[in-house]
Amino acid sequence: MEELEIKMGAITFLDVLGWKGIWQRKDNPIQALDSLRERLQLNANEYSRGTNLETNVLSISDTVVLLTEVKIPDNPNDALELHGRLCSEVLFVSLEQQIPLRGATGYGEFSVNTKNNIFVGKAIDETASWYEQADWIGVFMTPSAFYSYDGENPKWWISYQPPLKKAIEFSTFATVWAEIKTGEKSALEIVSSFGKMSPIIPEIITKFSHTHKFLKEIESHNNSENI
């Protein structure tokens, strides 16, 4: 049996909110999710040209996994910025497709067999344990990524305390939605897409209200920087 090579890099887990029963409100959700995966892979390839980064985008059921190997372990920033950009650019697209995503980005050791979609490692375990704690539509850094990232000039991340289940408090970095960063859409315009997710029942309203709050905050932050 071939031994898996231990690599160092950034890992992001993204899963679809409300996948259970999605067939009742969404035609061909599998095709929509696979389209998002392909978009992520194409963008990763484009943004990595001329760098030492190599990204694989895999999927298992309703979860998409981004794995970026870092050839120079002492420089994690480029990989984490890449993941921030990829996630920022796919969040609104997923909302428009009615397959909204939540996720987490970690950093550390992992091994992967892309042929069989098998991946293991410390960073895999950490990231997998954190992303399901998110109570919103969005992506944040786990402790391994947060403590590896210098955070001095973030392009696609903003300091934030994401809403987590079990009353966990953790101040970290969260991805800035690309549409607000570029000024293409306002928070209100993005929030208007929430209606497509109806019925929004009491059990899931916090995910939308937490997302709305975050969008308003990053919009305010973005506006203050442009003054």
Side-chain angles (χ1 to χ4, degrees), residues 28-217:
N28 206 338
I30 296 175
Q31 181 179 359
L33 184 58
D34 192 51
S35 176
L36 283 181
R37 184 196 61 77
E38 290 179 355
R39 180 192 184 106
L40 284 164
Q41 184 67 74
L42 288 172
N43 285 348
N45 294 344
E46 178 182 348
Y47 302 153
S48 297
R49 287 175 185 164
T51 73
N52 64 349
L53 302 177
E54 180 180 343
T55 301
N56 288 299
V57 183
L58 310 176
S59 61
I60 297 179
S61 185
D62 65 330
T63 301
V64 177
V65 182
L66 286 68
L67 300 164
T68 299
E69 180 183 3
V70 175
K71 303 294 184 180
I72 306 174
D74 293 336
N75 184 22
N77 274 28
D78 289 346
L80 292 173
E81 280 294 343
L82 172 63
H83 280 230
R85 182 176 185 180
L86 293 171
C87 294
S88 294
E89 293 179 348
V90 81
L91 285 172
F92 181 68
V93 177
S94 74
L95 189 60
E96 282 282 274
Q97 291 291 323
Q98 300 181 47
I99 49 173
L101 300 172
R102 65 173 175 182
T105 297
Y107 183 82
E109 295 180 353
F110 68 90
S111 296
V112 58
N113 182 321
T114 56
K115 182 179 179 180
N116 298 312
N117 278 16
I118 298 174
F119 32 85
V120 296
K122 296 177 182 178
I124 297 292
D125 291 348
E126 179 183 308
T127 308
S129 67
W130 277 95
Y131 83 104
E132 291 185 332
Q133 294 299 317
D135 195 27
W136 68 346
I137 302 166
V139 182
F140 66 95
M141 286 190 190
T142 71
S144 63
F146 176 73
Y147 294 123
S148 298
Y149 184 63
D150 68 22
E152 292 183 0
N153 298 295
K155 296 179 181 178
W156 298 97
W157 301 94
I158 187 171
S159 296
Y160 197 70
Q161 182 172 302
L164 302 173
K165 300 174 183 178
K166 300 180 182 178
I168 299 173
E169 294 188 3
F170 173 46
S171 294
T172 181
F173 286 97
T175 51
V176 179
W177 290 50
E179 287 71 21
I180 292 180
K181 180 179 175 64
T182 59
E184 294 177 12
K185 293 187 182 297
S186 67
L188 182 59
E189 288 174 311
I190 295 176
V191 167
S192 66
S193 298
F194 288 177
K196 297 179 181 179
M197 303 292 108
S198 61
I200 301 175
I201 58 178
E203 288 78 7
I204 64 172
I205 188 58
T206 56
K207 292 178 173 58
F208 291 92
S209 61
H210 289 155
T211 306
H212 184 193
K213 178 183 177 182
F214 176 63
L215 291 171
K216 293 293 291 182
E217 289 195 26

Side-chain angles (χ1 to χ4, degrees), residues 16-27:
V16 178
L17 290 169
W19 186 256
K20 183 179 180 180
I22 194 173
W23 53 271
Q24 295 177 309
R25 59 177 173 80
K26 173 69 177 175
D27 293 333

